[in-house]
Amino acid sequence: MELRTIETQNYTGKRVFMRVDFNVPVDKGVIIDDARIKASLPTIEYLLQKNASIILASHLGRPKGTPNPEMSLKVVAERLSNLLGGKEVRFIPDCIGDAVKDAASKLNAGDIMLLENLRFHKEEEEGNEEFAKQLAELADCYVNDAFGTCHRKHASIYGITKFFDSVAAGYLIEKEVAALTKLLENPERPFLVILGGAKVADKIGMIKNLLDKIDTFITGGVMAYTFIKAKNWEIGESKVEQDAVPLAKEIIREINKRHLEFHTPLDHIITDRISPDSHYFATERGAVPPNWMGVDIGPQAIEEYTDCIKRAKTIFWNGPMGIYEIKPFAKGTIELAKAIGETSAFSVIGGGDSIAAVNAAGVADKISHICTGGGASLEFLENGSLPGIDLLKK
Ligand code: ADP
Ligand code: MG
């Protein structure tokens, strides 16, 4: 995919509206993880070096169209300023209106300002054209580096582009698209996909479109229980996404037709209570006995999955193998992360919890590419592009 990159545009003395994904986890006013802010730095630094002034815009959380101080981007302005070595990042407490316009018009070359949360206006998620136009009026050029939001036709991602002559993809989007395209076009084989986690309905669709490209598919977490249920095996009280069972059945049929290697866990860690001090043990088989719930893959599954990882040349992983936030149920996820860290395969990981697990396992720097957008990366793999990215093509 050929993107219109920032290097093809002229930014000298121009005001640039840069859509970023600063949707970072914030707890009681403190940023827990600033990876998404760091990921925007190469593009910001490039634009500054070209003597542009920058108007940054993002969403944070789900304020549903009303201002909410807990989801203010003010803390992000402070962190970004620190990351830029103390450079001033002016925070503007709204994203449209006369005061914002006035502040934007006063920017000098090399100045940066960050607008308040776009989603404080319901028009952002509605993709409202008038709202998009008001945002566009703030600047001369548009740069999109908000990979994690490109699957949404929101005003600042989608509608806004038609008001600019200069529209380009930032370095982060370039990097994300390159890594994901590598998975879709001639991946080195065997190509292994690992799906786990809890958001089964959001994730299961993507595997259908990948069946012609992959060799091995392994499952954990609630994803696995949805497939085990689809095989009509007992899952006890394990969490399952009932609505996704028919699609899981269909996927199993498609997998069998293609003779792909497909695994649900050979065994499970089961418990009767989700708590760090509850009783837990490994099952002998791939089913879960009545009244118990599966909370991690078991030791035999770890061995089998590790073997799949060792054989793979291309790996995509999304979703933990168990309730990794609770130590006794984290082993499957951590062991898999370590195994991926040890291979020389091209590895791509997406999903907030999956990335947290890779960090906890201490192998983040061994992963070929860590996606800043879990949902966006899945939709990209499902459809080969994203609405917001289509607008950035050459
Ligand atoms: P990601 O953030 O990587 O996209 P998800 O949000 O889909 O992943 O899933 C992560 C969540 O899934 C975690 O909170 C984890 O506790 C939960 N989970 C994993 N396995 C199970 C399980 N067997 N039962 C209940 N919850 C699970
Ligand atoms: Mg998650």
Side-chain angles (χ1 to χ4, degrees):
M1 181 189 300
E2 292 254 28
L3 294 171
R4 223 173 309 116
T5 62
I6 47 178
E7 280 157 21
T8 64
Q9 308 291 306
N10 176 15
Y11 296 115
T12 315
K14 297 275 170 62
R15 273 203 310 260
V16 180
F17 184 98
M18 180 174 164
R19 178 49 158 111
V20 284
D21 182 358
F22 286 167
N23 184 25
V24 291
V26 177
D27 186 28
K28 296 182 192 80
V30 180
I31 297 171
I32 313 290
D33 178 0
D34 61 3
R36 281 182 165 164
I37 308 176
K38 284 186 178 143
S40 73
L41 293 177
T43 303
I44 292 175
E45 278 159 1
Y46 177 84
L47 294 173
L48 290 178
Q49 189 201 322
K50 294 290 165 191
N51 282 319
S53 55
I54 310 174
I55 300 161
L56 295 166
S58 176
H59 70 284
L60 176 66
R62 298 174 189 271
K64 303 220 156 80
T66 37
N68 178 340
E70 282 173 26
M71 297 177 203
S72 171
L73 281 161
K74 191 158 190 282
V75 285
V76 174
E78 288 158 16
R79 179 65 63 93
L80 177 62
S81 167
N82 290 340
L83 291 170
L84 290 168
K87 184 177 173 56
E88 188 192 2
V89 176
R90 194 159 163 222
F91 175 70
I92 310 292
D94 202 348
C95 60
I96 51 164
D98 289 340
V100 184
K101 252 191 185 168
D102 186 54
S105 71
K106 289 188 178 131
L107 287 173
N108 293 313
D111 287 350
I112 306 183
M113 65 187 220
L114 171 62
L115 306 179
E116 181 57 289
N117 196 337
L118 294 161
R119 290 191 189 168
F120 284 1
H121 295 266
K122 65 177 186 337
E123 290 81 2
E124 163 68 358
E125 289 183 81
E126 288 168 357
N128 180 287
E129 198 174 313
E130 181 53 34
F131 180 75
K133 187 161 172 257
Q134 281 178 273
L135 293 175
E137 277 166 7
L138 300 173
D140 310 304
C141 307
Y142 175 79
V143 170
N144 186 350
D145 221 8
F147 177 76
T149 323
C150 282
H151 54 320
R152 310 274 184 226
K153 287 189 174 176
H154 294 169
S156 65
I157 294 283
Y158 201 75
I160 193 171
T161 56
K162 71 162 180 245
F163 299 106
F164 288 100
D165 292 327
S166 169
V167 170
Y171 286 127
L172 174 63
I173 287 197
E174 256 196 274
K175 199 169 100 185
E176 299 269 12
V177 167
L180 294 168
T181 305
K182 201 167 161 180
L183 295 182
L184 290 175
E185 291 171 8
N186 292 319
E188 208 183 327
R189 292 178 177 281
F191 181 4
L192 164 69
V193 169
I194 309 169
L195 286 187
K199 290 177 286 187
V200 177
D202 293 350
K203 297 180 179 185
I204 195 168
M206 133 304 163
I207 196 69
K208 232 181 118 183
N209 273 318
L210 277 184
L211 290 180
D212 287 325
K213 305 194 189 287
I214 68 172
D215 303 287
T216 315
F217 175 36
I218 63 188
T219 56
V222 183
M223 181 68 76
Y225 296 111
T226 307
F227 277 100
I228 295 171
K229 180 97 191 172
K231 295 201 261 189
N232 293 320
W233 291 4
E234 182 66 59
I235 59 161
E237 295 299 309
S238 306
K239 201 169 162 199
V240 61
E241 217 155 282
Q242 200 59 49
D243 293 348
V245 172
L247 184 52
K249 283 188 178 162
E250 191 188 322
I251 290 169
I252 293 174
R253 278 197 299 274
E254 293 295 320
I255 285 172
N256 291 339
K257 253 194 241 166
R258 290 171 174 78
H259 306 290
L260 300 179
E261 188 183 342
F262 168 62
H263 300 285
T264 54
L266 279 172
D267 56 352
H268 307 268
I269 300 299
I270 57 171
T271 183
D272 54 357
R273 206 161 50 90
I274 298 174
S275 159
D277 57 2
S278 61
H279 295 289
Y280 62 91
F281 49 88
T283 59
E284 274 171 27
R285 297 201 167 77
V288 176
N291 302 321
W292 293 88
M293 62 185 126
V295 286
D296 193 9
I297 60 173
Q300 299 175 62
I302 292 179
E303 208 181 306
E304 185 177 56
Y305 286 7
T306 306
D307 178 60
C308 291
I309 290 168
K310 281 184 185 151
R311 284 186 278 123
K313 291 273 186 291
T314 305
I315 301 171
F316 176 76
W317 182 20
N318 180 300
M321 296 291 101
I323 305 179
Y324 75 100
E325 300 94 328
I326 296 179
K327 190 123 194 276
F329 314 146
K331 190 157 190 247
T333 304
I334 298 295
E335 290 300 319
L336 255 56
K338 285 186 184 157
I340 296 173
E342 279 168 17
T343 66
S344 55
F346 178 69
S347 53
V348 178
I349 293 186
D353 289 288
S354 314
I355 294 167
V358 162
N359 284 324
V363 298
D365 58 337
K366 304 261 168 50
I367 307 301
S368 311
H369 180 73
I370 294 183
C371 291
T372 54
S377 60
L378 289 171
E379 275 198 44
F380 190 98
L381 291 177
E382 195 173 340
N383 302 319
S385 185
L386 298 173
I389 292 193
D390 284 336
L391 302 169
L392 308 172
K393 284 182 186 164
K394 252 187 196 158

